[in-house]
Amino acid sequence: MSDHDNDNGGNTGVTFTLDGQSVTARDGETIWQAAARHGTDIPHLCYKDSDGYRADGNCRACMVEIEGERVLAASCIRAPGEGMIVHSDNHRAKTARKMVMELLVADQPERAAAHDPDSELWHYAESQGVESARFPAKQAAEPDSSHPAIAVNMDACIQCNLCVRACREVQVNDVIGLAGRGAEAKIVFDFDDEMGASTCVGCGECVQACPTGALMPKTLLDGDQMLAITPDRQVDSVCPYCGVGCQLTFSVKDEKIVAVSGRQGPANQGRLCVKGRYGFDYIHNPERLTHPLIRREDVPKSASMPFDPANPMTHFREASWDEALNLAATRLAAVRDEHGPSAMAGFGSAKGTNEEAYLVQKLVRTGFRTNNVDHCTRLCHASSVAALLENIGSGAVTASFAECRNAEAIIVIGANPTVNHPVAATFIKNAAQRGTKLYVLDPRGQHLDRYATASLRFSPGSDVAMLNAMINVIITEGLYDAAYVEAHTEGFEDLKARTAHTTPEAMAPICGIDAETLRSVARGYATAKSAMIFWGMGISQHTHGTDNSRCLISLALLTGNVGRAGTGLHPLRGQNNVQGASDAGLITMFFPDYKSVTDA
């Protein structure tokens, strides 16, 4: 390793020479990053140019020569210096990189028998004229097919450690590691278990990061662990599952989805969970409708008649779109005309686009002539929306998941993100790894407890008592942001009076958390320069759900933790476009852009 390999700090706007061209590096950029931004592709295998991945410099595929230095440097971890002269395409640098590639290829199956002959490894080997190696191969590892979705073929592993960083530092699942020493070093799952027997959650981040084909989706391989399916096109889309709204790309072969990869987006930054990456087989379920169906005239409606979804033609017949749409419009208009608009209603989906949400509410309001239109926002988070509208004038979240990176403290209450919003949970875990104080408030306990500064397993239903105790501490100890409260809030004196008696000592018997712990959490949240609160339906699905949300909003407003980087209120939604559907007016009391129907 070069003496300068780890010298990666602090240069701002330095100008250096790369292959005879003047290049200005941005603050914090490495030689590799500056080169890539200027169109120079330096081979790399152990570095992934994506959010959350740090450079490691262990594969040595990106070596460059720096004039005046005795040894070559790994460009992925070396910062440029002012006036530095760097060569990535001279004989010495290219010869060294070619030798590295030949050594790596020596342990690989031949390309014709490779698990992924189109991998990054083979791409860079080909670009450097390396097709085979002069060196003997080590003994190949046995394949591991124990995982239901991921094929493990360690005979293709180059120990770049990208899978380790993907698992431990990006998704923070702590399953993959490196064991052994020297020539005996190897990638392991947990305590050298088979992947299928390990604690792997199947997020597939390691598969997406692997540059060699050692980790691949099973859907693309045949029984001999060789690539059997090459997608013919890719389609960008959005994950249909939880409320995170991860952007993804479908790989399609013969009009069937065969694989999924994460796409860079503000909600997920390229990450996916097991559902988004592998839960796509339902799309090809033979029971899905592919044509409009109309009930047969000889089959009247009856709850007593058995119906098999796999054989709908016992009750229905195929129809054209024109016939089906005309029938639906005629029947709906007849109901409206006979029974009046109040007999009509429409329920939309928060998994649709903004445009679709707008059209659904438009159909109901102009076609049905009623405001009886809704979607899930008033079911899952009705109490949260009511409290947010009442206290901050908007039912929207005030910050994205990614703002965790700027937070000094995070409260998670009434939610289990690692299960219900797995990708959002990765940002919370990332923050905890960086030293952010994480307070998990959950009567049951959960996986995030492992990363928490404090975990409060309070008595179910005592949310208001516990949160009011924290408000009491913040007010009585003068930890609130007086300037923010004065400038941006109202009702402070009333809140102070109402919580004067809710001391931690008084509330401890109710919520089951000792007074000192309540004080500690309140102080930790209030003294942080930036703090966020995430909550789920454990807060909203109560008879006192609105009061629960009011308490959380009051905590944030008291401490000025709204409207700045690393701050905010974030009710974790159940579907990925609850916000957009509400913005578009798919809700009974608002037209688009939250214009009240009572003002019309």
Side-chain angles (χ1 to χ4, degrees), residues 270-306:
R271 308 174 189 188
L272 293 177
C273 74
V274 62
K275 294 177 285 187
R277 195 179 301 276
Y278 299 115
F280 55 83
D281 52 345
Y282 74 93
I283 295 171
H284 308 300
N285 190 305
E287 294 181 7
R288 292 193 72 191
L289 296 182
T290 56
H291 298 87
L293 300 181
I294 291 177
R295 178 175 287 276
R296 287 168 38 180
E297 294 181 0
D298 60 339
V299 184
K301 291 184 179 180
S302 172
S304 63
M305 291 186 65

Side-chain angles (χ1 to χ4, degrees), residues 163 184 197 277 369 421 431 433 512 527 545:
C163 61
E184 301 302 317
R277 195 179 301 276
R369 303 171 191 166
H421 302 83
Q433 280 188 323
T527 58

